[in-house]
Amino acid sequence: MNKVAIVTGASRGIGREIAKELAISGIKVVANYNKSEDQAIKLKEELKKDNFFVDLFKADVSKQEECKNLVNYTLERYKKIDILINNAGIDKYKLITEVTQEEWNEMINTNLYSAFCMCQQVLPNMIHNKNGCIINISSVWGMIGASQEVVYSITKAGMDGLTKSLAKEVGPSNIRVNSIAPGLIDTDMNKELSETDINKLKEETPLERIGKAEDIAKCVNWLINDNFTTGQIISINGGWVIT
Ligand code: NAP
């Protein structure tokens, strides 16, 4: 296998597991991180022990210049990009009346503009090669909405809109674009939840557990190897949300 992938936000949580899964599958992975350099280095070293490899690249993907740097680095080093996983994201729990304009800008730029901008940057190469797979990690909240997470839900619904429209635009160039919309996954993003909250969620979930980052990574790997799925929002949530 000679595929090349960029995974944004790969220092922790879901992105880290995706980078790991893809590297183990033989894909050349550029694992992006922003603030958590130590964790990114740890991922690289952990994989190296088993003779697997990820390349690390620091970039704040909420910023256009840094998205460009990430893509240029990948193209200079590997000459092509087959796979883009837009995973970097943040969440803030607040009533709508308390959200400041700075917070709005931060959430929109980190979760949504980053995905749009990374697509803009990788697409010329993918279109030239008539080959590509883009996966946006959105959320069940983008599908059904979440109280006190209005901005987060807007960003994730926006990602799903990006998925559907871009799939139509670039399908003729053999580029597939899909969203994976996770339910609750055990990562730092949910560290504020109490044990009682988690147990309640488990009870509400047909498969009686919350998700693991590996559950999402496995679905990413499946989508990469698929040939005929595009424009879809695939929700991995143990049956918690069935639409
Ligand atoms: P997490 O554990 O908090 O990790 C977030 C990752 O995003 C970190 O690697 C972080 O990198 C990176 N990141 C944040 N801002 C960035 C920026 N400006 N530039 C580059 N990287 C940035 O969160 P997670 O649970 O793995 O979430 C991953 C994705 O899944 C997010 O898009 C999230 O919305 C989505 N999701 C999560 C859940 C869940 O229940 N966990 C459910 C649905 C959807 P640094 O630490 O290096 O800055």
Side-chain angles (χ1 to χ4, degrees):
M1 175 153 353
N2 211 7
K3 286 183 180 163
V4 178
I6 296 177
V7 182
T8 69
S11 50
R12 297 183 287 113
I14 294 171
R16 179 190 177 85
E17 280 311 310
I18 295 172
K20 218 162 128 181
E21 170 88 19
L22 301 194
I24 291 170
S25 307
I27 296 172
K28 296 189 171 86
V29 178
V30 177
N32 155 250
Y33 67 96
N34 185 30
K35 295 180 183 154
S36 306
E37 186 160 51
D38 290 354
Q39 306 235 40
I41 291 170
K42 230 165 122 186
L43 166 70
K44 184 174 172 137
E45 285 173 352
E46 212 179 286
L47 282 166
K48 208 171 151 192
K49 274 190 210 144
D50 297 322
N51 287 322
F52 297 111
F53 177 78
V54 287
D55 206 356
L56 304 179
F57 193 89
K58 177 173 163 57
D60 175 349
V61 292
S62 68
K63 299 185 173 133
Q64 188 189 50
E65 260 328 288
E66 301 199 23
C67 289
K68 281 187 184 170
N69 293 342
L70 171 58
V71 171
N72 287 341
Y73 169 80
T74 309
L75 286 175
E76 273 162 30
R77 178 136 197 198
Y78 297 104
K79 312 297 173 215
K80 63 167 187 164
I81 298 164
D82 302 293
I83 300 155
L84 167 65
I85 314 296
N86 285 315
N87 165 79
I90 53 171
D91 195 4
K92 288 181 199 294
Y93 300 86
K94 278 201 161 180
L95 293 171
I96 188 168
T97 45
E98 290 172 0
V99 177
T100 64
Q101 192 164 4
E102 286 73 30
E103 286 166 337
W104 164 270
N105 289 338
E106 189 189 358
M107 297 274 292
I108 294 287
N109 288 336
T110 307
N111 293 6
L112 184 55
Y113 178 69
S114 65
F116 169 79
C117 187
M118 285 300 295
C119 288
Q120 274 195 325
Q121 299 305 317
V122 300
L123 275 168
N125 181 261
M126 287 184 175
I127 291 168
H128 178 263
N129 295 335
K130 285 207 166 292
N131 174 57
C133 173
I134 296 174
I135 301 175
N136 295 317
I137 307 298
S138 59
S139 166
V140 286
W141 293 150
M143 300 162 69
I144 63 169
S147 165
Q148 297 184 58
E149 290 177 82
V150 167
V151 186
Y152 181 80
S153 303
I154 290 171
T155 64
K156 296 303 182 177
M159 277 184 123
D160 290 347
L162 170 67
T163 290
K164 292 176 192 172
S165 41
L166 193 57
K168 291 185 177 176
E169 189 166 316
V170 298
S173 296
N174 190 35
I175 298 164
R176 295 176 299 110
V177 188
N178 291 286
S179 284
I180 294 178
L184 188 83
I185 307 295
D186 185 13
T187 68
D188 291 347
M189 193 171 266
N190 297 308
K191 64 178 179 237
E192 305 301 326
L193 290 179
S194 67
E195 209 181 318
T196 317
D197 293 333
I198 303 264
N199 286 337
K200 191 166 171 283
L201 287 161
K202 283 183 189 167
E203 273 168 32
E204 291 167 4
T205 303
L207 290 181
E208 296 180 334
R209 68 171 175 91
I210 62 164
K212 294 179 281 191
E214 300 95 277
D215 296 320
I216 307 305
K218 297 269 176 238
C219 183
V220 167
N221 208 353
W222 170 77
L223 256 180
I224 286 171
N225 289 300
D226 176 81
N227 290 313
F228 201 50
T229 304
T230 197
Q232 304 305 309
I233 316 303
I234 301 167
S235 192
I236 307 292
N237 63 56
W240 185 40
V241 171
I242 298 177
T243 52

